[in-house]
Amino acid sequence: MTTDKPIKNIAVIGATGSIGTQTLDIAARHPGLYRPVALTAGSRVDELVRLARIHRPRLAVIADESRYRDLCRELEPLGIECAAGADAIAEAAALPEVDMTVTATVGYSGLLPTVKAIEAGKEIALANKETLVVAGAFIEQLLAESPSKIYPVDSEHSAIYQCLKGEDPSAVSRLYITASGGPFRTWQRERIASAKASDALKHPNWSMGAKITIDSATMMNKAFELIEARWLFGIDASRLSAVVHPQSIVHSMVEFSDGGIKAQLGVPDMHLPIAYALGCATRLPGAERPLSLADLSELTFEKPDAERFPCLTLADVALRRGGNSACVINAANEIAVAAYLRDRIGFYDIYRIICETLDRCDFIASPGLSDYIQTNQTAREIAGSLL
Ligand code: NAD
Ligand code: MG
């Protein structure tokens, strides 16, 4: 492909995960457009080494400090600088030579790298929705004081971004976030109650990391996406709706004041929203699997069922209460999901633990960064004691 665009240096935070590896695939297919300069990972040092050998960043960072020596032994002979720990990951997100930071780490660990990247004025391709869940109001304020801009990677938010392009924001009446409904969409409550993590990990349409796959089964993911949309698009919670669309072809929709609805469609494949964010809302050629409209026999929509999927109601709770509530919900969810993945608790214990943690945590109306850090810590301890 010929282009007059300068090459963009990217930092991939969470490079070894589902979004991270797909981001690196896209960068490798367009070497004239993207150069990975920093790769980070949680604890999978072998996978980080493998990716660094292929993509040759200047810096590789592992969160787990006990793996630092292994990383250095493998990569320093190749001239790749190595570092370890959460602070080093946050620094990697804000390196002077980085143009765009891709936040593809999971959970709360995305917050500090995103904050550093905004403070350093980077473009951000945001996959880590938990950043906006934990600290949406704080991030909104930081963005207002920075040249930094967020481009959503989450497929629903990318769809809305695409639908809003060229439109007058004051003509938007509602955002519809579509949901696949997850693996338990058609199950009765009693059967869901005894479902194991191995059942919940069988997502019908998307292949993703374990944590977001469980969040999809509980529909906590959809609650998080409603909160994410609140902060990304500056829209009041009363104008946000989730709608179940089991085919995952319509990625989300925008309704306008004249009653018209725009939707973005495509196969369920994260390459498109990742590439759209990498290009700062521009399109790359080379769709892997174009959607065959003639083969589509049905597109259906149904109301989500909050009785079987109570976590969905937590978006409303979080946005109504505000303050540090969503930070508490996120922390308790991370602890509960990790326990569910180890078969230590049942499916509906996830919701119970979140609600009980919310009841026991102190409410902070206008948290600053240190309050979010403290709330996350306290809520994790409380949720852990409730397992
Ligand atoms: P994943 O579990 O596959 O990968 C997570 C990455 O983060 C890995 O590189 C891992 O090493 C790293 N990591 C984990 N814990 C860490 C820690 N404490 N410190 C530093 N690094 C850590 O996750 P994923 O499915 O790629 O999801 C990443 C983010 O993107 C999540 O916020 C998820 O909600 C969001 N997202 C994912 C998808 C998808 O299709 N996978 C779609 C939309 C949004
Ligand atoms: Mg999504």
Side-chain angles (χ1 to χ4, degrees):
M1 177 188 168
T2 56
T3 173
D4 50 7
K5 281 189 195 160
I7 195 159
K8 192 182 274 189
N9 286 335
I10 59 172
V12 185
I13 307 302
T16 57
S18 164
I19 296 291
T21 51
Q22 293 180 82
T23 301
L24 290 170
D25 280 350
I26 294 166
R29 260 186 261 156
H30 300 277
L33 293 179
Y34 305 110
R35 181 195 297 127
V37 294
L39 304 185
T40 82
S43 56
R44 292 167 62 198
V45 76
D46 296 346
E47 188 57 13
L48 181 59
V49 165
R50 188 185 73 77
L51 292 170
R53 285 205 179 109
I54 298 170
H55 299 282
R56 296 299 171 123
R58 182 179 76 66
L59 174 70
V61 190
I62 190 93
D64 180 349
E65 296 182 27
S66 72
R67 309 308 305 271
Y68 176 58
R69 278 168 180 276
D70 299 334
L71 190 68
C72 294
R73 191 183 57 241
E74 299 292 335
L75 295 183
E76 279 182 352
L78 304 177
I80 297 173
E81 190 186 324
C82 298
D87 290 346
I89 290 184
E91 279 170 34
L95 289 177
E97 71 261 43
V98 167
D99 300 306
M100 173 175 266
T101 304
V102 183
T103 67
T105 177
V106 66
Y108 175 85
S109 69
L111 178 65
L112 290 183
T114 312
V115 167
K116 289 287 177 207
I118 296 173
E119 285 173 349
K122 306 301 183 193
E123 294 168 351
I124 296 171
L126 185 95
N128 182 264
K129 68 192 79 183
E130 293 92 338
T131 292
L132 288 174
V133 172
V134 168
F138 176 75
I139 296 288
E140 184 180 59
Q141 198 182 324
L142 272 189
L143 284 168
E145 296 158 1
S146 161
S148 179
K149 205 164 162 353
I150 287 187
Y151 298 91
V153 168
D154 216 349
S155 56
E156 295 77 3
H157 305 74
S158 176
I160 290 169
Y161 205 101
Q162 293 174 57
C163 293
L164 288 174
K165 221 173 182 183
E167 296 287 352
D168 173 0
S170 70
V172 172
S173 53
R174 180 161 294 280
L175 304 184
Y176 287 99
I177 311 268
T178 53
S180 69
F184 304 146
R185 182 179 63 89
T186 58
W187 291 29
Q188 299 293 319
R189 194 184 157 99
E190 298 67 39
R191 190 174 167 211
I192 298 175
S194 56
K196 295 284 171 230
S198 53
D199 302 312
L201 286 170
K202 291 177 194 144
H203 196 282
N205 303 344
W206 297 95
S207 159
M208 309 179 286
K211 191 257 182 187
I212 182 177
T213 306
I214 301 301
D215 287 347
S216 300
T218 60
M219 293 196 79
M220 191 73 234
N221 183 51
K222 221 36 65 177
F224 284 167
E225 291 183 353
L226 290 167
I227 300 172
E228 182 183 12
R230 156 71 188 89
W231 298 113
L232 269 179
F233 302 112
I235 189 164
D236 190 77
S238 62
R239 295 194 292 148
L240 291 169
S241 298
V243 59
V244 174
H245 166 52
Q247 296 83 18
S248 297
I249 296 292
V250 174
H251 294 310
S252 276
M253 296 174 271
V254 179
E255 183 185 74
F256 296 93
S257 51
D258 59 359
I261 293 183
K262 272 168 93 175
Q264 186 260 335
L265 283 69
V267 291
D269 180 338
M270 289 306 292
H271 279 87
L272 188 155
I274 295 170
Y276 193 74
L278 286 180
C280 298
T282 59
R283 297 190 187 276
L284 278 178
E288 252 173 300
R289 292 188 291 147
L291 182 64
S292 170
L293 286 170
D295 292 342
L296 279 185
S297 54
E298 61 172 4
L299 294 177
T300 60
F301 300 92
E302 58 195 61
K303 267 194 181 157
D305 179 356
E307 206 257 319
R308 285 180 305 137
F309 302 104
C311 285
L312 187 60
T313 63
L314 292 169
D316 192 45
V317 172
L319 290 173
R320 224 175 344 98
R321 293 193 194 180
N324 62 343
S325 307
C327 178
V328 173
I329 291 171
N330 177 72
N333 182 60
E334 284 188 34
I335 295 295
V337 168
Y340 181 68
L341 279 167
R342 295 193 306 272
D343 288 331
R344 280 189 62 195
I345 59 171
F347 188 83
Y348 287 117
D349 289 328
I350 299 176
Y351 177 68
R352 176 185 60 79
I353 287 166
I354 296 170
C355 292
E356 286 182 26
T357 307
L358 202 50
D359 285 346
R360 292 185 196 198
C361 261
D362 290 337
F363 178 71
I364 303 173
S366 305
L369 187 58
S370 59
D371 298 313
Y372 288 117
I373 293 170
Q374 185 58 54
T375 298
N376 175 62
Q377 184 62 36
T378 309
R380 278 168 187 273
E381 285 163 16
I382 294 174
S385 73
L386 294 169
L387 288 177

